Amino acid sequence: MLKEYKLSTERQNFYNVTSYVRETLAESGIKDGICTVFCPHTTAGITINENADPDVVHDMLLGLDRAFPDRPAFRHIEGNSSAHLKASCVGSSASVIIRNGQLLLGTWQGIYFCEFDGPRTRKFYVKVM
Ligand code: ZN
């Protein structure tokens, strides 16, 4: 089963999309398998990280800004090379094992859509098999 979701984003933020993934999984009826969440954009990505303390997202964005600052030496004419670097760093997909009809996530894990060059209307895909 494949589902497409749309998301309205801010300039830069992480969006917890775990509930959308669980919704697709429930609709699929699949009990054992693999779920892949995929982002088809070059300045946004998907990652799995802590969902308990919202300050973790704040600190990850701070760390990514520090690791990939905007630089005058960048050549890309669009002016968003920093966002491209961050997107490649987090990656464009995440896979989670399905066991007994549930995502096999850790207690503190959530699946995040990561925006690095918004605001935009974005999409992502959830494939359950
Ligand atoms: Zn670009």
Side-chain angles (χ1 to χ4, degrees), residues 11-12 57-71 82-83 86 115-116:
R11 190 186 70 77
Q12 179 168 262
V57 165
H58 171 272
D59 293 353
M60 287 185 70
L61 287 169
L62 207 65
L64 286 165
D65 278 340
R66 179 70 183 256
F68 304 110
D70 201 16
R71 297 177 56 180
S82 165
K86 292 170 187 172
E115 175 62 78
F116 299 116

Side-chain angles (χ1 to χ4, degrees), residues 46-103:
I46 302 287
T47 195
I48 294 176
N49 216 298
E50 177 168 331
N51 64 4
D53 179 2
D55 283 342
V56 171
V57 165
H58 171 272
D59 293 353
M60 287 185 70
L61 287 169
L62 207 65
L64 286 165
D65 278 340
R66 179 70 183 256
F68 304 110
D70 201 16
R71 297 177 56 180
F74 284 151
R75 292 183 176 177
H76 178 42
I77 196 149
E78 230 184 346
N80 60 356
S81 286
S82 165
H84 286 290
L85 286 163
K86 292 170 187 172
S88 270
C89 178
V90 300
S92 56
S93 68
S95 290
V96 182
I97 297 165
I98 301 159
R99 185 178 66 188
N100 299 327
Q102 303 292 318
L103 297 173

